[in-house]
Amino acid sequence: MKTYFALFSFLIGLFAASLLLQNISAQNTEHVEKLIVDDGWQAVQENCTECHSTLLITQNSGSKAVWESRIRWMQETQGLQQLEDSLEESILNYLTQNYGQKESSRRASLSITLMPDNPYEPID
Ligand code: HEC
């Protein structure tokens, strides 16, 4: 009887430890895999993170047509499944709304007077 109790307690302990570990890894994932929370973010989480991290998505930007072309490219060459029309529409709207076309991702050049001397400039 005593051995059964010991075995039972051991199993309960193991179960609790596994829950704790699961919880820790879920928290880490949440932290790393961050999407802006807005209409449609779950659809992106569910359909777009199987093959690559969310970061590959969030570091990109573009108009609806650009996002659509990326989806087509993945469908034609990377094995992304066909998405139901309404699902694709909500994913595209989410991406366009939250990771839309940027005017420019580079800052403007510094004025020439603020630049260091060019070491390669010919000496006259
Ligand atoms: C079946 C696998 C798969 C799924 C599911 C998937 N992708 Fe991809 N995706 C890829 C592969 C493979 C690449 C190329 C990765 C690389 O360049 O390292 C990629 C690249 C990308 C890129 C980068 C494109 C570029 O120009 O650099 C974006 C953005 C992207 N995916 C968005 C999405 C979105 C949005 C979804 C959901 C609709 C999605 N992916 C679902 C396989 C997938």
Side-chain angles (χ1 to χ4, degrees):
M1 189 67 196
K2 242 182 184 171
T3 26
Y4 279 130
F5 184 71
L7 188 64
F8 183 68
S9 321
F10 175 71
L11 288 176
I12 291 285
L14 213 60
F15 181 62
S18 81
L19 281 185
L20 201 70
L21 276 177
Q22 250 177 20
N23 197 24
I24 290 169
S25 60
Q27 276 171 357
N28 286 344
T29 313
E30 249 171 57
H31 184 70
V32 177
E33 307 269 299
K34 233 177 187 176
L35 284 168
I36 295 172
V37 175
D38 194 7
D39 284 351
W41 79 271
Q42 290 104 328
V44 173
Q45 181 77 51
E46 280 163 25
N47 294 281
C48 307
T49 59
E50 181 191 334
C51 311
H52 50 69
S53 110
T54 322
L55 204 58
L56 194 62
I57 303 170
T58 58
Q59 72 189 358
N60 277 284
S61 59
S63 63
K64 195 167 181 175
V66 167
W67 280 112
E68 190 175 344
S69 75
R70 289 184 179 128
I71 289 182
R72 294 290 168 268
W73 173 80
M74 281 179 287
Q75 286 170 330
E76 282 158 21
T77 65
Q78 309 299 331
L80 171 62
Q81 62 178 355
Q82 293 299 311
L83 302 166
E84 236 176 72
D85 286 355
S86 61
L87 175 64
E88 184 174 292
E89 189 61 17
S90 83
I91 290 176
L92 283 175
N93 287 338
Y94 169 83
L95 293 170
T96 314
Q97 198 69 38
N98 295 286
Y99 303 96
Q101 191 71 50
K102 290 179 191 162
E103 292 236 325
S104 169
S105 53
R106 303 187 66 177
R107 64 165 172 75
S109 305
L110 287 176
S111 129
I112 195 76
T113 56
L114 296 174
M115 298 285 278
D117 291 335
N118 180 356
Y120 301 107
E121 207 157 295
I123 305 161
D124 42 31

